[in-house]
Protein backbone atom coordinates (compact mmCIF):
# COMPACT_ATOMS: atom_id res chain seq x y z
CA UNK A 1 0.00 0.00 0.00
CA UNK A 2 1.33 3.44 -0.94
CA UNK A 3 0.18 7.06 -1.10
CA UNK A 4 1.30 9.67 -3.65
CA UNK A 5 0.30 13.34 -4.02
CA UNK A 6 1.33 16.61 -5.69
CA UNK A 7 1.14 20.09 -4.11
CA UNK A 8 2.26 23.59 -5.12
CA UNK A 9 3.95 26.34 -3.14
CA UNK A 10 2.91 29.98 -3.23
CA UNK A 11 5.98 30.85 -5.30
CA UNK A 12 5.09 28.25 -7.93
CA UNK A 13 7.24 25.25 -6.99
CA UNK A 14 5.76 21.76 -7.41
CA UNK A 15 6.38 19.19 -4.69
CA UNK A 16 5.57 15.46 -4.77
CA UNK A 17 5.16 13.39 -1.61
CA UNK A 18 5.05 9.61 -1.58
CA UNK A 19 5.07 6.84 1.04
CA UNK A 20 6.07 3.21 0.52
CA UNK A 21 4.20 0.51 2.40
CA UNK A 22 5.16 -3.13 1.99
CA UNK A 23 5.20 -6.35 3.99
CA UNK A 24 8.68 -7.69 3.22
CA UNK A 25 11.74 -5.56 4.00
CA UNK A 26 12.62 -3.93 0.67
CA UNK A 27 16.22 -3.22 1.74
CA UNK A 28 15.86 0.16 0.05
CA UNK A 29 18.89 2.10 -1.14
CA UNK A 30 19.39 5.19 -3.29
CA UNK A 31 20.22 4.39 -6.92
CA UNK A 32 21.97 6.97 -9.14
CA UNK A 33 22.10 6.95 -12.94
CA UNK A 34 24.06 9.50 -14.98
CA UNK A 35 22.77 10.88 -18.29
CA UNK A 36 24.32 9.74 -21.59
CA UNK A 37 26.04 6.84 -19.83
CA UNK A 38 25.04 3.36 -21.12
CA UNK A 39 23.61 1.07 -18.49
CA UNK A 40 22.59 -2.58 -18.39
CA UNK A 41 20.24 -3.25 -15.48
CA UNK A 42 19.15 -6.72 -14.37
CA UNK A 43 16.19 -7.72 -12.25
CA UNK A 44 15.48 -10.49 -9.79
CA UNK A 45 14.81 -13.05 -12.52
CA UNK A 46 17.67 -11.87 -14.74
CA UNK A 47 15.51 -9.53 -16.85
CA UNK A 48 17.74 -7.06 -18.68
CA UNK A 49 17.12 -3.38 -19.33
CA UNK A 50 19.66 -1.73 -21.61
CA UNK A 51 19.53 2.02 -22.09
CA UNK A 52 21.48 5.22 -22.56
CA UNK A 53 19.55 7.77 -20.48
CA UNK A 54 18.76 11.21 -21.85
CA UNK A 55 18.37 12.44 -18.26
CA UNK A 56 20.18 11.66 -15.05
CA UNK A 57 18.03 10.47 -12.18
CA UNK A 58 18.01 9.44 -8.53
CA UNK A 59 15.59 6.91 -7.08
CA UNK A 60 14.84 4.26 -4.52
CA UNK A 61 15.92 0.70 -5.28
CA UNK A 62 14.77 -2.55 -3.70
CA UNK A 63 16.40 -5.86 -2.75
CA UNK A 64 19.85 -4.49 -3.72
CA UNK A 65 18.76 -4.36 -7.38
CA UNK A 66 18.84 -1.29 -9.66
CA UNK A 67 15.06 -1.53 -10.11
CA UNK A 68 13.75 1.93 -9.22
CA UNK A 69 10.41 2.11 -7.39
CA UNK A 70 10.33 5.90 -7.14
CA UNK A 71 12.51 8.70 -8.42
CA UNK A 72 13.21 12.16 -9.80
CA UNK A 73 15.20 13.09 -12.90
CA UNK A 74 17.19 16.16 -13.90
CA UNK A 75 14.30 17.45 -16.05
CA UNK A 76 11.98 17.54 -13.01
CA UNK A 77 9.95 14.45 -13.93
CA UNK A 78 8.81 12.42 -10.92
CA UNK A 79 7.29 8.96 -11.00
CA UNK A 80 7.04 5.73 -9.05
CA UNK A 81 5.38 2.32 -8.89
CA UNK A 82 2.33 1.66 -6.69
CA UNK A 83 0.51 -1.67 -6.14
CA UNK A 84 -2.64 -2.33 -8.19
CA UNK A 85 -4.04 -5.88 -8.14
CA UNK A 86 -5.89 -6.69 -11.35
CA UNK A 87 -3.16 -5.24 -13.57
CA UNK A 88 -2.64 -6.87 -16.96
CA UNK A 89 0.43 -5.65 -18.85
CA UNK A 90 0.79 -5.29 -22.61
CA UNK A 91 1.73 -8.18 -24.90
CA UNK A 92 5.25 -8.24 -26.35
CA UNK A 93 5.62 -6.16 -29.52
CA UNK A 94 7.68 -7.40 -32.46
CA UNK A 95 8.13 -3.91 -33.90
CA UNK A 96 8.51 -1.57 -30.89
CA UNK A 97 10.58 -1.26 -27.73
CA UNK A 98 9.49 -3.66 -24.98
CA UNK A 99 10.17 -2.56 -21.40
CA UNK A 100 9.72 -5.07 -18.60
CA UNK A 101 7.19 -3.63 -16.12
CA UNK A 102 9.68 -3.58 -13.21
CA UNK A 103 11.93 -1.25 -15.26
CA UNK A 104 9.21 1.13 -16.45
CA UNK A 105 10.07 3.72 -13.78
CA UNK A 106 13.73 3.54 -14.85
CA UNK A 107 12.67 3.98 -18.49
CA UNK A 108 10.47 7.03 -17.83
CA UNK A 109 13.13 8.74 -15.73
CA UNK A 110 15.76 7.96 -18.38
CA UNK A 111 13.91 9.24 -21.43
CA UNK A 112 11.04 11.57 -20.49
CA UNK A 113 10.99 15.20 -19.37
CA UNK A 114 7.22 15.75 -19.14
CA UNK A 115 3.97 13.86 -18.72
CA UNK A 116 3.31 14.53 -22.42
CA UNK A 117 6.50 12.62 -23.28
CA UNK A 118 5.27 9.61 -21.30
CA UNK A 119 1.78 9.81 -22.77
CA UNK A 120 3.08 10.04 -26.34
CA UNK A 121 5.40 7.06 -25.90
CA UNK A 122 2.53 4.86 -24.72
CA UNK A 123 -0.21 6.17 -27.02
CA UNK A 124 2.01 5.95 -30.11
CA UNK A 125 2.96 2.40 -29.25
CA UNK A 126 6.66 3.21 -29.43
CA UNK A 127 7.10 1.55 -26.05
CA UNK A 128 5.25 -1.51 -24.68
CA UNK A 129 5.25 -2.24 -20.96
CA UNK A 130 5.26 -6.02 -20.75
CA UNK A 131 4.96 -8.72 -18.12
CA UNK A 132 3.33 -12.14 -18.26
CA UNK A 133 0.39 -13.40 -16.23
CA UNK A 134 2.58 -14.58 -13.38
CA UNK A 135 4.42 -11.24 -13.30
CA UNK A 136 1.15 -9.30 -13.26
CA UNK A 137 0.00 -11.33 -10.26
CA UNK A 138 3.30 -11.05 -8.39
CA UNK A 139 3.97 -7.40 -9.25
CA UNK A 140 0.81 -5.55 -10.31
CA UNK A 141 1.72 -1.88 -10.66
CA UNK A 142 0.28 1.46 -11.68
CA UNK A 143 2.23 4.68 -12.01
CA UNK A 144 1.65 8.31 -10.96
CA UNK A 145 3.65 10.72 -13.14
CA UNK A 146 4.23 14.42 -12.37
CA UNK A 147 6.35 17.03 -14.11
CA UNK A 148 7.90 20.37 -13.17
CA UNK A 149 5.03 22.26 -14.81
CA UNK A 150 2.51 20.69 -12.43
CA UNK A 151 1.01 18.24 -14.92
CA UNK A 152 -0.11 14.95 -13.37
CA UNK A 153 -1.28 11.67 -14.93
CA UNK A 154 -1.91 8.10 -13.82
CA UNK A 155 -0.94 5.08 -15.94
CA UNK A 156 -2.71 1.77 -15.41
CA UNK A 157 -2.53 -1.41 -17.48
CA UNK A 158 -5.95 -3.01 -17.78
CA UNK A 159 -6.94 -5.86 -20.09
CA UNK A 160 -3.53 -5.66 -21.75
CA UNK A 161 -3.76 -1.97 -22.68
CA UNK A 162 -2.36 1.24 -21.16
CA UNK A 163 -5.06 3.44 -19.61
CA UNK A 164 -3.84 7.01 -19.11
CA UNK A 165 -5.90 9.33 -16.90
CA UNK A 166 -5.41 13.00 -16.13
CA UNK A 167 -5.09 13.46 -12.38
CA UNK A 168 -6.94 16.66 -11.43
CA UNK A 169 -6.56 16.11 -7.67
CA UNK A 170 -2.93 14.99 -7.80
CA UNK A 171 -3.44 11.95 -5.53
CA UNK A 172 -3.00 8.20 -6.00
CA UNK A 173 -3.09 5.18 -3.69
CA UNK A 174 -3.84 1.58 -4.69
CA UNK A 175 -6.94 -0.34 -5.69
CA UNK A 176 -9.60 0.11 -6.89
CA UNK A 177 -8.56 1.73 -10.17
CA UNK A 178 -7.99 5.50 -10.30
CA UNK A 179 -11.36 6.54 -11.88
CA UNK A 180 -13.21 4.77 -9.04
CA UNK A 181 -11.08 6.55 -6.43
CA UNK A 182 -11.81 9.89 -8.07
CA UNK A 183 -15.56 9.25 -8.10
CA UNK A 184 -15.48 8.15 -4.44
CA UNK A 185 -14.45 11.67 -3.38
CA UNK A 186 -18.08 12.70 -3.97
CA UNK A 187 -19.06 10.75 -0.84
CA UNK A 188 -17.13 13.21 1.34
CA UNK A 189 -18.17 16.63 0.03
CA UNK A 190 -19.58 17.41 3.49
CA UNK A 191 -16.05 17.68 4.90
CA UNK A 192 -14.80 21.17 5.78
CA UNK A 193 -11.84 22.68 7.64
CA UNK A 194 -14.28 24.85 9.62
CA UNK A 195 -15.57 23.87 13.05
CA UNK A 196 -19.28 23.18 13.28
CA UNK A 197 -21.56 25.65 15.04
CA UNK A 198 -23.46 25.03 18.27
CA UNK A 199 -26.98 23.64 17.99
CA UNK A 200 -29.98 24.33 20.24
CA UNK A 201 -32.22 21.42 21.13
CA UNK A 202 -35.28 22.41 23.15
CA UNK A 203 -34.08 24.89 25.73
CA UNK A 204 -30.43 23.82 25.79
CA UNK A 205 -27.52 24.71 23.50
CA UNK A 206 -24.96 22.04 22.64
CA UNK A 207 -21.46 23.08 21.61
CA UNK A 208 -19.08 20.87 19.61
CA UNK A 209 -16.77 18.71 21.69
CA UNK A 210 -13.65 20.42 20.36
CA UNK A 211 -11.84 21.68 17.29
CA UNK A 212 -11.84 19.58 14.14
CA UNK A 213 -15.56 18.82 13.94
CA UNK A 214 -15.64 19.86 10.27
CA UNK A 215 -13.54 16.78 9.50
CA UNK A 216 -16.04 14.45 11.17
CA UNK A 217 -16.43 11.55 8.75
CA UNK A 218 -12.91 11.70 7.31
CA UNK A 219 -11.88 8.01 7.09
CA UNK A 220 -8.95 7.22 9.35
CA UNK A 221 -8.18 3.60 8.53
CA UNK A 222 -5.34 2.32 6.34
CA UNK A 223 -7.21 1.07 3.28
CA UNK A 224 -6.33 2.61 -0.11
CA UNK A 225 -9.71 4.39 -0.53
CA UNK A 226 -9.42 5.89 2.97
CA UNK A 227 -5.88 7.12 2.35
CA UNK A 228 -6.90 8.56 -1.04
CA UNK A 229 -9.74 10.55 0.57
CA UNK A 230 -7.56 11.66 3.48
CA UNK A 231 -4.72 12.86 1.26
CA UNK A 232 -7.02 14.61 -1.22
CA UNK A 233 -9.01 16.58 1.35
CA UNK A 234 -6.21 17.38 3.79
CA UNK A 235 -3.92 18.74 1.08
CA UNK A 236 -6.84 20.79 -0.26
CA UNK A 237 -7.66 22.24 3.18
CA UNK A 238 -4.06 22.93 4.26
CA UNK A 239 -2.93 26.55 3.92
CA UNK A 240 -0.65 26.95 0.92
CA UNK A 241 2.95 27.54 2.05
CA UNK A 242 4.86 30.42 0.50
CA UNK A 243 8.09 28.64 -0.42
CA UNK A 244 9.23 25.29 -1.78
CA UNK A 245 10.99 24.43 1.48
CA UNK A 246 7.83 25.14 3.49
CA UNK A 247 5.82 23.06 1.03
CA UNK A 248 8.20 20.14 1.48
CA UNK A 249 7.58 20.40 5.22
CA UNK A 250 3.82 20.35 4.56
CA UNK A 251 4.27 17.26 2.38
CA UNK A 252 5.91 15.41 5.27
CA UNK A 253 3.03 16.42 7.56
CA UNK A 254 0.54 15.05 5.02
CA UNK A 255 2.55 11.84 4.80
CA UNK A 256 2.29 11.57 8.58
CA UNK A 257 -1.49 11.36 8.16
CA UNK A 258 -1.20 8.14 6.12
CA UNK A 259 1.73 6.59 8.00
CA UNK A 260 1.29 2.92 9.01
CA UNK A 261 3.22 1.89 12.15
CA UNK A 262 4.65 -1.63 12.15
CA UNK A 263 2.16 -4.12 13.56
CA UNK A 264 -1.02 -2.09 13.05
CA UNK A 265 -1.81 -3.76 9.70
CA UNK A 266 -1.43 -7.56 9.56
CA UNK A 267 -2.30 -10.38 7.18
CA UNK A 268 -2.09 -14.13 7.61
CA UNK A 269 0.16 -15.85 5.10
CA UNK A 270 1.67 -19.27 4.51
CA UNK A 271 4.38 -20.04 7.10
CA UNK A 272 7.89 -20.37 5.68
CA UNK A 273 11.39 -20.93 7.03
CA UNK A 274 11.99 -17.17 7.04
CA UNK A 275 8.48 -16.38 8.33
CA UNK A 276 7.48 -19.27 10.61
CA UNK A 277 4.66 -17.33 12.28
CA UNK A 278 2.89 -16.84 8.94
CA UNK A 279 2.11 -13.15 9.48
CA UNK A 280 2.84 -10.28 7.07
CA UNK A 281 3.10 -6.78 8.50
CA UNK A 282 2.37 -4.00 6.02
CA UNK A 283 4.02 -0.80 7.22
CA UNK A 284 5.52 2.48 6.00
CA UNK A 285 9.14 1.65 5.17
CA UNK A 286 10.09 5.04 3.78
CA UNK A 287 8.70 8.34 2.55
CA UNK A 288 10.07 10.72 -0.07
CA UNK A 289 9.36 14.37 -0.76
CA UNK A 290 10.62 15.58 -4.15
CA UNK A 291 10.88 19.23 -5.15
CA UNK A 292 10.36 18.99 -8.92
CA UNK A 293 11.10 22.67 -9.51
CA UNK A 294 14.39 22.83 -7.63
CA UNK A 295 15.37 19.19 -8.29
CA UNK A 296 15.65 18.05 -4.66
CA UNK A 297 14.87 14.58 -3.30
CA UNK A 298 14.29 14.18 0.44
CA UNK A 299 13.90 10.75 2.04
CA UNK A 300 13.28 9.40 5.53
CA UNK A 301 13.06 5.78 6.64
CA UNK A 302 11.04 3.96 9.28
CA UNK A 303 13.85 3.94 11.83
CA UNK A 304 14.28 7.71 11.93
CA UNK A 305 12.11 10.82 11.42
CA UNK A 306 15.17 12.65 10.09
CA UNK A 307 14.98 13.38 6.35
CA UNK A 308 18.08 13.23 4.15
CA UNK A 309 18.34 15.41 1.04
CA UNK A 310 19.92 14.96 -2.39
CA UNK A 311 20.35 17.99 -4.66
CA UNK A 312 20.31 16.80 -8.27
CA UNK A 313 21.77 20.12 -9.42
CA UNK A 314 25.04 19.56 -7.55
CA UNK A 315 25.19 15.75 -7.43
CA UNK A 316 28.26 14.20 -9.08
CA UNK A 317 26.34 11.83 -11.38
CA UNK A 318 29.46 10.61 -13.18
CA UNK A 319 31.19 9.46 -10.01
CA UNK A 320 28.08 7.81 -8.56
CA UNK A 321 26.42 6.41 -11.69
CA UNK A 322 25.24 2.84 -11.32
CA UNK A 323 25.88 2.79 -7.58
CA UNK A 324 23.44 2.05 -4.79
CA UNK A 325 23.96 4.21 -1.74
CA UNK A 326 22.79 3.22 1.76
CA UNK A 327 20.30 5.57 3.40
CA UNK A 328 21.46 6.86 6.81
CA UNK A 329 19.10 5.70 9.55
CA UNK A 330 20.56 7.31 12.65
CA UNK A 331 20.47 10.79 14.08
CA UNK A 332 23.47 12.85 15.07
CA UNK A 333 23.57 13.32 18.85
CA UNK A 334 24.39 16.93 19.71
CA UNK A 335 25.43 18.03 23.21
CA UNK A 336 22.90 20.10 25.12
CA UNK A 337 23.87 23.75 25.59
CA UNK A 338 25.23 24.72 28.97
CA UNK A 339 22.80 27.07 30.70
Amino acid sequence: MCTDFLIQSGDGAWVNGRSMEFGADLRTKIYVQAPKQPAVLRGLEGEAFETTPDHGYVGTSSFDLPVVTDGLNTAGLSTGALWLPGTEYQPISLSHRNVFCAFFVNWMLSHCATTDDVRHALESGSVHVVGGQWVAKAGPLHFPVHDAKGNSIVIEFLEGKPVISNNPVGVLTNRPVFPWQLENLRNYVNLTPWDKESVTLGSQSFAPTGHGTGLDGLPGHATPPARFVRAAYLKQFALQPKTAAETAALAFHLLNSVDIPLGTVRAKTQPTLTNPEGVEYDYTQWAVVKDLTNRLLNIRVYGSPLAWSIDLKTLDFTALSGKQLPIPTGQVALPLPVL
Side-chain angles (χ1 to χ4, degrees):
M1 298 190 293
C2 306
T3 302
D4 181 277
F5 56 81
L6 184 70
I7 50 180
Q8 187 180 30
S9 68
D11 60 9
W14 289 98
V15 173
N16 174 209
R18 186 260 169 94
S19 66
M20 168 62 87
E21 283 78 36
F22 208 71
D25 182 4
L26 294 171
R27 306 201 301 272
T28 298
K29 294 181 180 179
I30 294 295
Y31 177 77
V32 179
Q33 178 60 55
K36 311 300 181 183
Q37 190 169 115
V40 179
L41 311 179
R42 295 195 178 275
L44 199 60
E45 301 295 328
E47 311 88 356
F49 173 63
E50 301 179 17
T51 186
T52 301
D54 300 303
H55 310 285
Y57 62 88
V58 175
T60 54
S61 66
S62 296
F63 302 117
D64 301 314
L65 296 169
V67 177
V68 172
T69 54
D70 196 276
L72 173 68
N73 73 12
T74 50
L77 187 82
S78 174
T79 186
L82 279 67
W83 206 254
L84 180 66
T87 292
E88 184 180 341
Y89 298 110
Q90 295 176 272
I92 292 176
S93 171
L94 299 179
S95 57
H96 296 100
R97 177 66 187 266
N98 296 296
V99 175
F100 185 61
C101 55
F103 290 121
F104 187 43
V105 171
N106 295 69
W107 185 89
M108 286 188 282
L109 294 172
S110 294
H111 300 294
C112 299
T114 66
T115 57
D116 284 344
D117 291 343
V118 178
R119 182 188 292 272
H120 176 73
L122 289 168
E123 291 182 341
S124 67
S126 62
V127 64
H128 278 229
V129 179
V130 302
Q133 188 174 18
W134 179 88
V135 172
K137 184 177 180 179
L141 304 171
H142 61 169
F143 306 86
V145 188
H146 317 286
D147 65 30
K149 295 180 180 179
N151 300 307
S152 182
I153 61 174
V154 173
I155 302 167
E156 298 175 325
F157 294 92
L158 307 173
E159 299 180 350
K161 298 178 181 179
V163 177
I164 306 172
S165 304
N166 290 324
N167 191 347
V169 296
V171 175
L172 187 65
T173 55
N174 313 103
R175 69 174 173 186
V177 294
F178 175 70
W180 185 98
Q181 300 276 21
L182 205 58
E183 184 70 12
N184 185 48
L185 293 177
R186 297 177 61 177
N187 292 314
Y188 299 91
V189 295
N190 61 299
L191 296 174
T192 172
W194 296 98
D195 287 346
K196 293 181 179 178
E197 301 292 333
S198 300
V199 62
T200 299
L201 301 176
S203 60
Q204 184 168 340
S205 178
F206 295 87
T209 54
H211 290 303
T213 52
L215 294 176
D216 185 26
L218 182 72
H221 46 86
T223 66
R227 287 181 286 107
F228 192 103
V229 171
R230 205 150 64 246
Y233 277 94
L234 291 181
K235 86 181 189 80
Q236 178 66 29
F237 292 158
L239 294 179
Q240 185 182 46
K242 295 180 180 179
T243 68
E246 292 171 346
T247 305
L250 169 60
F252 274 119
H253 281 290
L254 293 172
L255 287 166
N256 289 341
S257 76
V258 294
D259 186 82
I260 301 177
L262 180 61
T264 59
V265 174
R266 312 181 188 194
K268 294 181 179 179
T269 187
Q270 190 69 27
T272 64
L273 290 176
T274 57
N275 185 9
E277 62 180 337
V279 179
E280 183 178 270
Y281 301 94
D282 204 70
Y283 68 105
T284 302
Q285 299 194 17
W286 49 260
V288 291
V289 170
K290 294 165 286 183
D291 181 340
L292 283 55
T293 303
N294 297 295
R295 314 298 197 264
L296 291 169
L297 185 148
N298 308 284
I299 185 167
R300 72 180 186 201
V301 294
Y302 187 85
S304 172
L306 186 66
W308 298 85
S309 299
I310 299 173
D311 188 338
L312 274 67
K313 302 186 302 298
T314 60
L315 185 68
D316 189 344
F317 278 97
T318 302
L320 297 174
S321 187
K323 295 183 179 180
Q324 297 191 62
L325 311 175
I327 304 169
T329 57
Q331 299 185 53
V332 179
L334 298 177
L336 293 174
V338 178
L339 302 179

